[in-house]
Amino acid sequence: MTQTPTTFGQAIVQARKAKGLSQKELAARIVKDEGGNISPQYLNDIEHDRRSPSSDHLIRQFAAELGMDDNILFILAGKIPDETRRNVKDLMKAADAFMNFRRDASN
C-alpha cells in the first residue's frame, strides 16, 4: 500500500517513481517560466523538501507531466494560485471561506 504524501516533495517523488521516471528524465520535462529546463539537482532538492517550486507555472508543469491534480499540488505546496489571489474582490469573504476550508479540511 502506498502512503499518502504529506509534502509536495513526497508527492512528486511518489508520482515520478510510479511513472518509472528518473530525476534526470523528469527534470528534462519541466520547463521554467523563463525557458530551459529545471536541473536534476533542483528536482532533488524539491523531492527532499529542501526547496519549494518557485511559481504556479512549475506546479502546473509537475501536475501535467505526472498526471496529477494541480489543486492537490497547490495545497501541498502551501500556495494559493496567483490568479485566485488576484481575483479576490472581498478580503473578508475570502478570509471566511479560507477559515471554513481549514475547519472542513481538518475534519
Side-chain angles (χ1 to χ4, degrees), residues 4-107:
T4 302
T6 58
T7 68
F8 186 88
Q10 289 172 354
I12 297 304
V13 72
Q14 190 176 74
R16 176 181 62 76
K17 287 181 178 181
K19 292 264 185 193
L21 296 170
S22 69
Q23 285 182 334
K24 186 175 182 179
E25 290 169 325
L26 179 57
R29 295 179 179 194
I30 305 297
V31 180
K32 297 183 278 189
D33 298 312
E34 63 277 1
N37 302 94
I38 66 169
S39 70
Q41 181 58 51
Y42 180 71
L43 177 57
N44 185 276
D45 287 348
I46 287 174
E47 288 186 355
H48 287 92
D49 297 312
R50 291 187 292 259
R51 295 182 81 171
S52 296
S54 57
S55 69
D56 292 5
H57 173 78
L58 285 179
I59 292 172
R60 287 190 178 98
Q61 286 272 308
F62 280 112
E65 288 299 326
L66 296 171
M68 301 178 74
D69 183 329
D70 64 346
N71 291 308
I72 291 172
L73 291 182
F74 276 103
I75 290 168
L76 292 173
K79 192 166 183 340
I80 297 172
D82 292 337
E83 72 273 2
T84 302
R85 269 198 325 272
R86 280 193 301 270
N87 292 330
V88 170
K89 306 242 184 305
D90 182 336
L91 286 177
M92 288 307 296
K93 187 174 178 180
D96 285 342
F98 189 62
M99 180 183 66
N100 289 331
F101 163 77
R102 290 173 44 196
R103 184 191 64 237
D104 292 347
S106 64
N107 289 332

